[in-house]
Amino acid sequence: MPPTTTRRARIARRRKRRLDSVVNDLTDAQWAAIQAAWGGCAYCGRTDQALQRDCVLAISRGGRYTLENVVPACRSCNTSKCNDEVTAWMRRRRLDERAFLERYVEVRRRLLPG
């Protein structure tokens, strides 16, 4: 059977190779702690939707699923951000970039050991 050659399948295979080539060490307990610390979407603050794991530095740009790089995001923010650089994306969406960055540093300081 020939390999699937649709665009979606090629992208999925490429993403899987990128994920497999780096250390992605975010545990379920760490993800729960991140969600509790943020209390909603890290970008817009919504609390009425399920939260998704979003890499601040996108996987396609060298990011990983680690405690330092993951924030909770609502589906709307996660889809909109895609693989954009977070501060430029926040400026385009007219979100409070400074408040996000200050909170991001505070949450990281609280969650990271040491």
Side-chain angles (χ1 to χ4, degrees), residues 3 5 9 15 20 52 60 62 69 78 80 86 88 95 99 108 112:
T5 58
R15 185 173 194 278
D20 290 345
Q52 301 175 351
S60 63
N69 193 44
N78 197 9
S80 171
V86 71
L95 296 170
R108 282 185 59 186
L112 289 174

Side-chain angles (χ1 to χ4, degrees), residues 46 49 52 73-81 89 93:
R46 289 182 76 164
Q49 290 186 352
Q52 301 175 351
C74 65
R75 184 167 72 190
S76 174
C77 286
N78 197 9
T79 303
S80 171
K81 181 177 163 281
W89 171 79
R93 292 279 306 258

Side-chain angles (χ1 to χ4, degrees), residues 38 40-46 54-56 69 71-74 77-78 81 86 89-90 95-96 100:
W38 282 94
C41 178
Y43 304 120
C44 69
R46 289 182 76 164
D54 182 53
C55 291
V56 175
N69 193 44
V71 295
C74 65
C77 286
N78 197 9
K81 181 177 163 281
V86 71
W89 171 79
M90 291 188 86
L95 296 170
D96 191 350
F100 166 76

Side-chain angles (χ1 to χ4, degrees), residues 10-83:
R10 284 193 313 272
I11 290 169
R13 284 193 302 272
R14 192 176 318 132
R15 185 173 194 278
K16 181 170 178 5
R17 279 194 303 269
R18 273 195 309 268
L19 283 172
D20 290 345
S21 69
V22 296
V23 176
N24 295 296
D25 61 357
L26 187 70
T27 65
D28 291 336
Q30 289 172 329
W31 172 236
I34 291 170
Q35 288 180 335
W38 282 94
C41 178
Y43 304 120
C44 69
R46 289 182 76 164
T47 59
D48 62 339
Q49 290 186 352
L51 298 173
Q52 301 175 351
R53 298 173 190 200
D54 182 53
C55 291
V56 175
L57 177 63
I59 291 171
S60 63
R61 295 175 182 252
R64 304 175 303 158
Y65 283 110
T66 62
L67 186 60
E68 299 89 13
N69 193 44
V70 172
V71 295
C74 65
R75 184 167 72 190
S76 174
C77 286
N78 197 9
T79 303
S80 171
K81 181 177 163 281
C82 190
N83 70 339

